[in-house]
Amino acid sequence: MLKSPLLPRFGDLVVAIVDDVLGQGLTLDRAYARHFSGIELKPQEQARIALVTGDLLRRLSLYCFLTGIQVRQAEKNVWPLLHSWHAFHKIAQPNNPTLDRFNEEAFRRRLTEAKKNPVLMDGCPSWLEKLGSEQLGEAWPAERAALAWMPKRYLRVNTLKCTRDELQAILAKEQVTTIPVDGVETALQVTSDAALFRTKAFADGCFEQQDAGSQLVAAALEVTPGMRVIDACAGAGGKTLHIAAMMQGKGRLLAMDVEEWKLENLKQRARRAGAHNVETRVITSSKTVKRLKESADRVLLDVPCSGLGVLKRNPDAKWRDTAERLPVLVALQEEILQRYSQMVKVGGLLVYATCSILPQENRQQVDKFLAANENFRLRDDHTVSPSETGFDGFYMARIERIA
């Protein structure tokens, strides 16, 4: 957490980023890219701006309440929100002569009231509280609180280039301090404010930035060198590259997606990582999938989802139309699972995964699929709990084709 107030020019940058997210509808990562690419910032300065912006959006409803405004008014009142943010974290007020004097007495009164409301203190909108309570019951309050935490930074070692111990030593020479993550053998937690993407280790393809919980998804595939593997919803390919490393570059790894630009990005990342067995294919129609019927030893379906397991990393999703989109996403998940599962060989393994912690998107989808497809059986499934692990939230089910 900061110990000194934001400089006015950094506060103005936070204002611009939040306006892009709440006013223009940009995702937070795209808003960062838009504003950080045009100016020279030291790594520590960029980290400070991201820290404040992220926390502001993770608990937007709380800071709005402390400021005395409605959430819908947030995009026009970011500087007043920043004053409340500083007061909440007991940091001296930033210098902003364009605003009226900060009302300390009103802030303290509202803070006393807010502390009586855990939902408000966790920055949870009403739609999410309703949905989480319905889906997770008594487990929801702990998950809600965990999703308001600031995310930790994790790396995945690229074992095509080095071991975890070797990567840790390489990064230490570049003043990047890390610690191993228990239970995730490919993960390191970054404990310094280093500019990771400016390191030689990154340029050399020694690591990718990836949440430790996310690294468990590809590991669930149990791939071995020489297999034929399909990552059918590859996106930009973080999990694809993990699979390639586990295959030791041997065998065939096909990365598929409906968006070509994501696969182009994956090709660049694969070259840097030395993942030479990765092929890409755009899904242009149902025929693309049908041609691969019963061809794969392993299939990963990391399907589109609500993203409610990764809210601390993507807090802007709290303030979007996620509740309205959920039925559409659930229907899409069901369709993908039914159609794409046909690419698995008899005796092969399918991993269905989401970055959600909602049973509606997870076990309920799997149970529905198994009821309609007797030629598959569930081997096991697992939910990565943000409250229990400190990681982002994920779900994965290992489903075997038996006939």
Side-chain angles (χ1 to χ4, degrees):
M1 192 53 64
L2 302 185
K3 294 182 179 179
S4 59
L6 278 181
L7 295 174
R9 67 187 181 97
F10 294 157
D12 288 340
L13 193 50
V14 173
V15 170
I17 293 169
V18 172
D19 180 65
D20 273 358
V21 171
L22 299 180
Q24 309 303 319
L26 267 66
T27 59
L28 183 56
D29 57 347
R30 290 197 175 187
Y32 282 148
R34 175 178 175 179
H35 290 280
F36 289 162
S37 63
I39 57 176
E40 286 291 331
L41 287 173
K42 296 177 182 177
Q44 296 85 351
E45 293 171 338
Q46 186 168 313
R48 285 165 66 91
I49 293 163
L51 183 153
V52 176
T53 308
D55 189 61
L56 205 60
L57 289 170
R58 270 188 292 277
R59 294 189 283 183
L60 183 63
S61 54
L62 170 64
Y63 296 121
C64 285
F65 179 83
L66 296 176
T67 307
I69 63 172
Q70 300 294 316
V71 170
R72 64 177 179 272
Q73 300 170 310
E75 66 187 85
K76 303 299 183 184
N77 292 277
V78 182
W79 258 115
L81 290 172
L82 281 173
H83 283 279
S84 293
W85 185 91
H86 280 74
F88 180 80
H89 292 286
K90 300 179 181 179
I91 304 170
Q93 287 296 318
N95 181 23
N96 187 346
T98 63
L99 289 181
D100 295 334
R101 179 175 171 274
F102 180 71
N103 190 329
E104 184 76 26
E105 183 180 346
F107 171 84
R108 290 185 181 281
R109 187 172 62 249
R110 294 188 188 108
L111 180 59
T112 299
E113 188 175 346
K115 287 180 177 178
K116 301 173 185 176
N117 186 342
V119 176
L120 181 59
M121 290 297 290
D122 291 335
C124 184
S126 57
W127 71 264
L128 181 56
E129 176 63 15
K130 181 175 183 293
L131 181 62
S133 297
E134 290 173 349
Q135 290 276 305
L136 295 173
E138 293 181 357
W140 169 242
E143 301 297 356
R144 180 190 68 216
L147 291 171
W149 298 345
M150 184 173 72
K152 297 174 182 176
R153 290 203 295 175
Y154 295 101
L155 305 179
R156 178 185 57 78
V157 59
N158 177 14
T159 53
L160 292 171
K161 297 287 185 88
C162 58
T163 66
R164 183 166 71 172
D165 289 345
E166 289 170 343
L167 176 61
Q168 193 171 19
I170 291 168
L171 290 172
K173 292 179 181 178
E174 298 195 65
Q175 286 73 54
V176 180
T177 57
T178 60
I179 56 175
V181 179
D182 291 340
V184 189
E185 62 183 19
T186 53
L188 288 172
Q189 181 187 338
V190 181
T191 56
S192 59
D193 290 333
L196 294 174
F197 301 125
R198 299 181 190 179
T199 61
K200 185 176 184 298
F202 177 74
D204 291 344
C206 293
F207 71 85
E208 293 285 339
Q209 185 165 299
Q210 184 178 3
D211 183 78
S214 175
Q215 296 180 42
L216 296 172
V217 175
L221 278 171
E222 297 179 338
V223 300
T224 56
M227 280 185 170
R228 181 183 172 101
V229 182
I230 297 176
D231 184 354
C233 306
K239 297 179 181 69
T240 307
L241 298 180
H242 190 182
I243 295 167
M246 292 190 296
M247 296 175 71
Q248 300 173 22
K250 300 172 184 176
R252 186 180 182 191
L253 174 52
L254 181 60
M256 305 172 68
D257 202 89
V258 294
E259 298 190 77
E260 186 173 6
W261 68 270
K262 292 182 178 180
L263 296 178
E264 288 299 321
N265 187 11
L266 169 56
K267 288 178 184 178
Q268 296 177 20
R269 295 174 70 186
R271 282 194 291 270
R272 185 179 65 244
H276 303 304
N277 65 326
V278 174
E279 304 174 37
T280 61
R281 186 173 303 178
V282 181
I283 301 172
T284 55
S285 70
S286 59
K287 292 181 180 178
T288 307
V289 175
K290 287 180 180 178
R291 293 189 187 105
L292 295 166
K293 185 175 181 179
E294 296 185 38
S295 66
D297 300 296
R298 300 285 188 269
V299 172
L300 173 60
L301 296 182
D302 184 17
V303 298
C305 70
S306 65
L308 295 183
V310 295
L311 286 178
K312 58 184 174 182
R313 207 167 298 279
N314 301 312
D316 44 307
K318 284 185 178 182
W319 318 108
R320 300 190 188 280
D321 58 347
T322 306
E324 289 73 18
R325 289 175 56 241
L326 188 56
V328 177
L329 288 167
V330 168
L332 178 60
Q333 292 160 2
E334 184 176 355
E335 178 189 353
I336 289 174
L337 183 52
Q338 182 62 45
R339 287 175 49 208
Y340 291 21
S341 61
Q342 304 310 308
M343 295 188 288
V344 184
K345 292 178 178 178
V346 175
L349 193 65
L350 164 73
V351 170
Y352 171 84
T354 74
C355 54
S356 172
I357 54 175
L358 298 183
Q360 183 179 5
E361 299 183 86
N362 297 338
R363 184 56 185 265
Q364 290 176 18
Q365 287 282 32
V366 171
D367 287 345
K368 194 185 309 180
F369 170 77
L370 294 172
N373 295 272
E374 295 181 352
N375 53 334
F376 288 85
R377 72 174 181 88
L378 178 64
R379 183 186 293 182
D380 54 38
D381 69 341
H382 175 61
T383 299
V384 180
S385 161
S387 66
E388 294 175 4
T389 64
F391 306 156
D392 288 338
F394 294 91
Y395 173 81
M396 60 211 77
R398 293 195 285 196
I399 304 170
E400 186 177 1
R401 183 164 195 163
I402 56 176

